[in-house]
Amino acid sequence: MKLRQVQQLLGARVLCGERWLDTKEVATCFGSNMMSKVLARGKRQTILCTGLTNVQVIRTANMTELCAVVFVEDKLPKASVTEEAESWGLPLLATPLPLEDVCRLLDEAGLPSCDKGRAP
Amino acid sequence: MTDTLKLSYYCPGDDFDRAGEASAKVKKALQRLGVPPDVVRRVAIGTYEAELNVIIHAGGGTVTAEVSGESTLITVSDEGKGIPDIQAALQEGFSTAPEYARQMGFGAGMGLPNMMKCSDEFNIESTVGKGTVITMRFCHRSEDL
Ligand SMILES: Nc1ncnc2c1ncn2[C@@H]1O[C@H](COP(=O)(O)OP(=O)(O)OP(=O)(O)O)[C@@H](O)[C@H]1O
Ligand SMILES: [Mg+2]
C-alpha cells in the first residue's frame, strides 16, 4: 500500500516528506523501541513505528533504508531531527495512537510486521 | 574504477548526537561511486554499528573506508578500553552498554553479530587498555541481506 494510506489509517500528522506519501510503497511495518533490532532485522519498504524520537532513530531508518518513521503517542522529535530526515527524503509521521494499536491496525490493513514470530 | 579511494572520519566520543555522521558520509560516497545498492546498504549498516560502538563503548574512534572496483574495506579503530573477552562479546545478547544508550534504543548486544552478518569478511582485534580495531570487507557483487 502507499504511505498515504498508512497516514490516513493512523490519523497521522505529517512532520515532513508530504510530497513522497503518494509515491512511496510500504510492504511491512516494524514496531520497536530497540534500534539494535531494527538494524539487524529491518527491511526495505518498511515503516518503523516507535516511541523514541532521538536523532539515532532516523539515522537507523536511513541506514537500513526504511521508507518512513511513525512516532506514536504524539511524541515529536526536535526540529533538527525533522530537518535531517527531510534532507534524506525520509517522511516522518506522528500519530496519537499507542504502539500496540498502530501495529494492530496496520496488520489488519494488510501490512504485517517484518519481525513476525520474534519477541517484541 | 582501478584506483582505491580512501576516506577517513574521526568520531568524537563525547557526543552521541553525532553518531552516524561518518557512516552517512560513507554511504553517500559509495552511492556516488556507483557501488551496487544492496552492497551500499550492507556497508552502511555495518559501519553504523561499528561507529555506534566506538562512541558508546570506546570514547570515540576513526572510521576509514577504502573503496576499489571489487570491494569496500571498512576499518573502525579506537584507543578505548578494549574488550576483555571477544568471544563473549560476539554472542548475541552480550552488552555492557550504559543506561543512556539503552534509553536511546541500543544495547541489545546485537551490533557485533550484525556486522558479521552484513560483511563478507569480518575481523576484530582488541587489547584491554589499548583499544579495538574492526575490519569488514564487502564485495561489490550484488547480494541483499
Ligand atoms: N569498540 C569497543 N570498545 C570496547 N568495547 C566494545 C567495543 N565494541 C563492542 N564492545 C563490547 O562488546 C559488547 C557487544 O557489542 P555489540 O555491538 O554486539 O552490542 P552493544 O553495543 O552492547 O548493543 P547494540 O549493538 O545492540 O546496541 C559491548 O556491550 C561492549 O561490552
Ligand atoms: Mg553495538
Side-chain angles (χ1 to χ4, degrees):
Chain A
M1 79 176 69
K2 292 281 188 274
L3 200 46
R4 173 72 68 197
Q5 288 168 269
V6 173
Q7 182 233 334
Q8 288 166 348
L9 189 71
L10 301 177
R13 209 142 60 84
V14 184
L15 306 179
C16 71
E18 172 77 45
R19 65 188 175 285
W20 297 297
L21 297 196
D22 294 310
T23 49
K24 280 209 179 196
E25 191 69 36
V26 194
T28 53
C29 82
F30 198 123
S32 184
N33 291 333
M34 279 310 288
M35 297 306 118
S36 306
K37 290 187 182 173
V38 179
L39 281 168
R41 304 189 201 130
K43 300 266 189 302
R44 287 189 173 110
Q45 292 199 338
T46 295
I47 45 168
L48 170 62
C49 307
T50 182
L52 293 182
T53 61
N54 65 72
V55 69
Q56 302 306 335
V57 171
I58 60 157
R59 293 197 183 143
T60 297
N62 186 33
M63 293 303 161
T64 44
E65 300 180 3
L66 308 186
C67 71
V69 177
V70 178
F71 299 109
V72 301
E73 293 176 8
D74 266 339
K75 288 177 184 150
L76 297 179
K78 288 190 293 191
S80 58
V81 172
T82 308
E83 281 159 26
E84 194 171 315
E86 169 82 33
S87 77
W88 292 327
L90 177 73
L92 301 182
L93 308 176
T95 175
L97 301 170
L99 188 58
E100 306 76 63
D101 292 6
V102 167
C103 293
R104 186 177 42 76
L105 278 172
L106 292 177
D107 192 57
E108 285 168 6
L111 213 63
S113 167
C114 80
D115 200 31
K116 263 226 156 83
R118 306 266 193 170
Chain B
M1 194 181 7
T2 47
D3 296 343
T4 299
L5 177 79
K6 187 168 172 174
L7 305 162
S8 212
Y9 304 99
Y10 176 67
C11 313
D14 52 2
D15 193 352
F16 193 63
D17 273 8
R18 293 192 56 190
E21 288 184 5
S23 312
K25 284 179 186 148
V26 168
K27 182 176 181 184
K28 265 226 173 88
L30 295 187
Q31 282 170 332
R32 262 203 308 269
L33 289 166
V35 174
D38 293 342
V39 179
V40 173
R41 181 171 182 270
R42 290 193 288 120
V43 174
I45 294 172
T47 308
Y48 183 49
E49 292 275 20
E51 183 181 1
L52 284 162
N53 276 2
V54 295
I55 290 174
I56 296 172
H57 305 293
T62 306
V63 172
T64 303
E66 290 164 84
V67 192
S68 72
E70 292 76 42
S71 69
T72 296
L73 180 68
I74 300 287
T75 307
V76 182
S77 58
D78 66 67
E79 296 179 355
K81 60 182 187 295
I83 304 176
D85 185 343
I86 294 177
Q87 285 316 311
L90 291 173
Q91 298 301 312
E92 185 166 324
F94 179 92
S95 178
T96 60
E99 185 54 30
Y100 86 85
R102 293 174 195 274
Q103 280 172 6
M104 300 272 206
F106 299 95
M110 296 176 78
L112 289 170
N114 201 19
M115 289 177 226
M116 288 196 279
K117 188 181 87 175
C118 287
S119 55
D120 295 300
E121 285 168 37
F122 173 88
N123 188 59
I124 178 166
E125 277 163 38
S126 190
T127 310
V128 173
K130 285 236 162 78
T132 303
V133 181
I134 283 176
T135 54
M136 293 176 275
R137 186 177 293 282
F138 303 81
C139 300
H140 289 178
R141 49 181 167 68
S142 182
E143 191 185 296
D144 211 346
L145 281 178

